[in-house]
């Protein structure tokens, strides 16, 4: 796209979307648009469901990334912080979620390299602990946080020779939500979110936390990390096998 040409921005994202939603609903709509640049940043919501399956996440992302890459779109991806840390959960509850997010990030890293994506490392850094970057739910960036991501994406795009001009401003255009507005959100939409997670994720998360504590007491916590790493390796290996099968037929 030449400098000065008009740019059309279309947001297909939906709050709470998982990789299944991106594959089944957003991918067909996105392919119809034939975008020059497409951002596929997803995965945290998958980690917050009792149905979490790194094999399924890897297969869906592989299909989505591959479809856009085949169209010739510049693909933007990012690894994301673990939700247990941003929510400030106790260690035994936070660690299983962190392990899940690390697994998703490992898959995103591998597939981003496979499809030549412009990848942003957003899973660490001082911005994660800066409360001003986050919205009331502590899971989604606020305006300042989104602008920080935009600045960093511009930097990696410029480094790849894909962005020109000045970077976006990191300063918010609108005032930050007041404390009363944040409390109102927590009392309305926030309560619904907590209720849904209590019936969905919480029972499984408590089981994972109990397992975490047992391994910690025995000094075998490393086994949980090894198990998660093995699952990621198996998920990526399965994609490679599936890729080779048509050629072998």
């Amino acid at each position: 796209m030449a400098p000065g040409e008009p740019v059309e921005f279309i947001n297909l994202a939906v709050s709470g979307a998982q990789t299944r939603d991106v594959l089944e609903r957003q991918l067909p709509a996105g392919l119809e648009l034939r975008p020059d640049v497409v951002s596929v940043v997803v995965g945290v919501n998958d980690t917050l469901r009792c149905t979490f399956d790194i094999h399924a996440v890897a297969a869906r992302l592989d299909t989505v990334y591959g479809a856009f890459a085949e169209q010739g779109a510049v693909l933007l991806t990012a690894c994301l912080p673990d939700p247990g840390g941003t929510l400030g959960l106790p260690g035994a509850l936070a660690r299983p979620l962190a392990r899940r997010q690390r697994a998703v990030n490992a898959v995103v890293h591998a597939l981003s390299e496979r499809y030549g994506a412009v990848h942003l490392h957003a899973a660490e850094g001082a911005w994660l602990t800066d409360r001003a970057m986050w919205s009331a739910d502590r899971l989604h960036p606020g305006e300042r946080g989104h602008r920080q991501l935009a600045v960093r994406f511009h930097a990696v795009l410029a480094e790849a020779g894909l962005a020109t001009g000045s970077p976006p401003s990191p300063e918010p255009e609108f005032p930050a939500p007041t404390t009363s507005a944040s409390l109102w959100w927590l009392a309305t939409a926030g309560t619904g979110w907590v209720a849904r997670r209590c019936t969905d994720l919480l029972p499984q998360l408590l089981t994972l936390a109990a397992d975490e504590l047992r391994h910690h007491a025995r000094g075998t916590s490393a086994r949980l990390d090894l198990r998660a790493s093995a699952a990621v390796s198996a998920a990526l290996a399965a994609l490679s096998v599936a890729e080779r099968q048509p050629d072998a037929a």
Side-chain angles (χ1 to χ4, degrees):
M1 181 177 295
E5 281 190 14
V7 174
E8 184 179 12
F9 173 77
I10 298 176
N11 183 11
L12 299 175
V14 177
S15 181
Q18 302 173 58
T19 51
R20 179 188 295 276
D21 301 302
V22 173
L23 173 64
E24 296 178 354
R25 302 175 188 176
Q26 297 176 24
L27 176 62
L31 291 175
E32 282 188 15
L33 295 168
R34 302 195 67 85
D36 296 300
V37 180
V38 60
S39 167
V40 182
V41 179
V42 65
V44 171
N45 287 315
D46 289 79
T47 70
L48 295 172
R49 301 296 190 277
C50 66
T51 53
F52 177 75
D53 179 357
I54 193 60
H55 287 76
V57 168
R60 292 167 190 154
L61 289 178
D62 184 55
T63 301
V64 173
Y65 290 3
F68 282 120
E70 189 176 353
Q71 275 197 348
V74 174
L75 177 64
L76 307 183
T77 63
C79 55
L80 298 170
D82 74 272
T86 56
L87 287 169
L89 296 180
L93 293 173
R95 282 191 292 273
L97 292 180
R99 196 173 290 112
R100 286 181 172 186
Q101 190 59 51
R102 285 197 299 271
V104 172
N105 287 343
V107 165
V108 170
H109 276 286
L111 294 181
S112 295
E113 185 174 349
R114 173 182 292 185
Y115 292 107
V118 175
H119 181 73
L120 177 66
H121 299 276
E124 50 195 34
W127 81 289
L128 300 181
T129 54
D130 184 349
R131 187 67 187 85
M133 296 287 180
W134 298 89
S135 61
D137 64 8
R138 299 198 178 193
L139 276 176
H140 298 89
E143 184 189 355
R144 187 178 291 276
H146 276 110
R147 285 179 173 274
Q148 177 66 210
L149 291 174
V151 168
R152 294 176 66 184
F153 259 123
H154 180 274
V156 292
L157 283 165
E159 186 179 347
L162 297 170
T164 57
S166 303
S169 170
E171 294 304 317
E173 182 180 348
F174 303 100
T178 62
T179 302
S180 58
S182 297
L183 290 174
W184 176 252
W185 182 91
L186 291 169
T188 52
T191 14
W193 185 89
V194 170
R196 289 191 294 275
R197 294 295 74 78
C198 284
T199 56
D200 174 12
L201 175 66
L202 187 58
Q204 185 189 57
L205 186 55
L206 291 175
T207 301
L208 293 172
D211 194 33
E212 193 82 33
L213 291 171
R214 279 195 299 272
H215 277 278
H216 181 72
R218 297 169 184 166
T220 56
S221 297
R223 292 182 184 175
L224 296 172
D225 295 324
L226 289 172
R227 190 186 305 166
S229 296
V232 170
S233 297
L236 293 173
L239 297 179
S240 299
V241 169
E243 233 179 31
R244 291 196 298 269
Q245 280 177 345
D247 297 331

